[in-house]
Amino acid sequence: MVEETTDVVVVGAGLIGLAVAWRLAASGIQVTVCDPTPGTQTSSVAAGMLAPVTEVEYGEDDLLALNLDSVAAWPAFAEELESLTGLPAGLHRTGTLSVAYDVDDAAAIRRLAEYQERLGLDVQVLTGRETRRREPLLAAGVAGGVWVPGDHSVDNRQAVAALLRAVEVTGVRLVRQKVARVLTSGNRALGVELESGDTIRSGQVVAAAGPWTAQLAGVPDELRPPVRPLKGEIVRLRVPEAYRPALQHTVRATAKGFSVYLVPRPGGELVVGATTSELGYDTRVLAGGVFTLLRDARMVLPITDELELVETVAGLRPATPDNAPILGPSGLDGLVWATGHYRNGVLLTPITAQHIAETVLTGSVPKAAGSFLAERFRGSHGGHRADGDASGRPKLAR
């Protein structure tokens, strides 16, 4: 069996893992990323909404702050990525329009808008006529809307392609194998063992395996992150030339109490999502899910019937009990979590990469990430602090 050595092993080559690897490699760290199918799982299925305001939930103030930081970081992140790779990062600054199908839906989104305004967020409540003025192809009966100028979208597949190129350019080694287990000795992670039996020794391991993170063998049961898979189905449609652009903004609609979003791409694609179901690791696309999405989409955008059905696909979101990510020390020295991003993986890619790279390089968790430590699910046990505790300083192996 082969035994190799690197500074940092990143487990998982989705958007989060690739962005973390890129940031670390750019700082001169030797990085190896392990994933049997880079960029093809959760990161390739998402619609890519950057919607911290539109999707704000009551009582999730810390997550809102992190989401706002990351949406603000996306333009510079995309510009840097495109400059390095020559590839589009997929950022589309279009704003988002929340749409209400009937008067009950309108009352619901107005209540949310009042909450958003109390938080100081930039929203504008619209009448039905004002809503259709922004998107003329919406259904004539649309009852109202809310305009959110700061919520945008990213073509996630373009972002994945650019990050794969970025890690290549910065010298990251990509190993197309599954990690069989994390190697440990006492209370320290020493690297990983691959399915082939080969091992990679490292000073730090970053676990960014999305919904599969909790399945990493070798991690003590009491330290496993409470991440579970939440299935989501989406539909990709193609808009005929005669109707383009069918939508100029991302539309998040509430139709008879059901939520659906429609995300336009510059090339004429329209992404419709998403279902949510607890079915373990099942990624079959079910007829009922596709029916529901198309039914809700055509209520607010009647021309949906005339669009070409290009793809139906299902992915697994890495969900946590409080809908927020798990970032930072795992409780096992040398093992760092970058997981549990649920529906915000694309949105949180820049800020996660920034925080995890700082944690690995300095041994200190950035203050802005302090609310997202794994220990919030375990209670206080004297682990790493979020204010600059240097006790977790990485021991980088060469």
Side-chain angles (χ1 to χ4, degrees):
M1 297 300 174
V2 176
E3 180 174 311
E4 299 181 1
T5 301
T6 188
D7 290 335
V8 178
V9 170
V10 178
V11 183
L15 284 167
I16 299 294
L18 291 171
V20 169
W22 172 38
R23 289 306 194 202
L24 288 171
S27 68
I29 297 297
Q30 190 179 61
V31 183
T32 298
V33 177
C34 302
D35 193 317
T37 56
T40 63
Q41 298 294 328
T42 302
S43 295
S44 72
V45 177
M49 288 191 300
L50 308 183
V53 177
T54 314
E55 295 198 340
V56 67
E57 298 282 350
Y58 299 99
E60 294 184 352
D61 294 1
D62 289 338
L63 179 58
L64 173 63
L66 188 73
N67 287 345
L68 289 172
D69 284 348
S70 203
V71 78
W74 251 106
F77 180 85
E79 184 177 349
E80 188 179 353
L81 192 56
E82 290 175 349
S83 177
L84 175 68
T85 66
L87 297 175
L91 175 62
H92 303 301
R93 283 182 271 190
T94 61
T96 294
L97 188 63
S98 287
V99 173
Y101 178 74
D102 60 24
V103 293
D104 292 332
D105 298 326
I109 69 168
R110 277 200 300 271
R111 285 194 296 273
L112 181 59
E114 290 170 359
Y115 177 63
Q116 292 163 330
E117 288 173 336
R118 288 198 300 274
L119 294 173
L121 302 174
D122 188 6
V123 300
Q124 180 184 354
V125 177
L126 306 175
T127 65
R129 178 173 296 182
E130 291 169 335
T131 303
R132 290 193 301 279
R133 192 174 297 146
R134 286 188 176 273
E135 292 291 1
L137 293 183
L138 291 176
V142 161
V146 176
W147 170 238
V148 184
D151 281 6
H152 305 299
S153 69
V154 164
D155 184 327
N156 46 302
R157 292 179 178 179
Q158 287 188 338
V160 166
L163 280 168
L164 282 168
R165 177 61 179 152
V167 298
E168 179 183 1
V169 169
T170 51
V172 173
R173 181 167 178 256
L174 188 57
V175 176
R176 296 175 185 271
Q177 286 196 55
K178 181 179 179 181
V179 167
R181 67 186 178 99
V182 175
L183 301 172
T184 62
S185 177
N187 191 44
R188 180 161 189 85
L190 302 176
V192 298
E193 179 181 319
L194 304 172
E195 274 190 321
S196 63
D198 295 346
T199 59
I200 305 174
R201 299 273 175 174
S202 63
Q204 294 275 296
V205 176
V206 177
W212 295 273
T213 307
Q215 294 185 328
L216 275 178
V219 179
D221 289 343
E222 66 273 18
L223 298 181
R224 292 180 184 278
V227 177
R228 69 187 193 283
L230 263 184
K231 178 181 175 181
E233 295 153 314
I234 66 172
V235 172
R236 293 178 187 272
L237 307 172
R238 180 171 294 118
V239 180
E241 290 282 355
Y243 289 129
R244 294 184 189 178
L247 295 174
Q248 301 182 65
H249 316 288
T250 294
V251 168
R252 184 176 181 87
T254 304
K256 294 188 178 297
F258 295 97
S259 294
V260 64
Y261 54 75
L262 303 94
V263 184
R265 304 285 197 228
E269 184 180 68
L270 186 66
V271 183
V272 181
T275 61
T276 299
S277 52
E278 300 253 13
L279 293 172
Y281 291 89
D282 179 0
T283 56
R284 294 173 301 154
V285 177
L286 302 182
V290 175
F291 167 78
T292 299
L293 291 174
L294 294 178
R295 178 200 63 194
D296 297 343
R298 70 193 295 271
M299 273 199 283
V300 293
L301 186 69
I303 66 163
T304 298
D305 286 349
E306 301 180 48
L307 308 187
E308 179 185 357
L309 178 59
V310 176
E311 181 184 28
T312 59
V313 64
L316 302 172
R317 309 178 188 94
T320 64
D322 61 4
N323 298 331
I326 299 173
L327 308 176
S330 63
L332 188 67
D333 290 343
L335 177 63
V336 173
W337 300 130
T339 188
H341 293 76
Y342 186 29
R343 63 182 185 270
N344 294 314
V346 179
L347 167 61
L348 290 174
T349 293
I351 205 72
T352 297
Q354 177 184 321
H355 288 335
I356 296 301
E358 183 174 339
T359 299
V360 170
L361 293 170
T362 69
S364 299
V365 178
K367 187 174 182 179
S371 297
F372 306 101
L373 299 173
E375 62 190 42
R376 72 184 189 271
F377 298 115
R378 301 194 297 266
S380 178
H381 57 63
H384 299 259
R385 299 200 310 266
D387 58 358
D389 181 2
S391 63
R393 188 173 296 281
K395 300 173 182 176
L396 300 177
R398 288 282 185 184

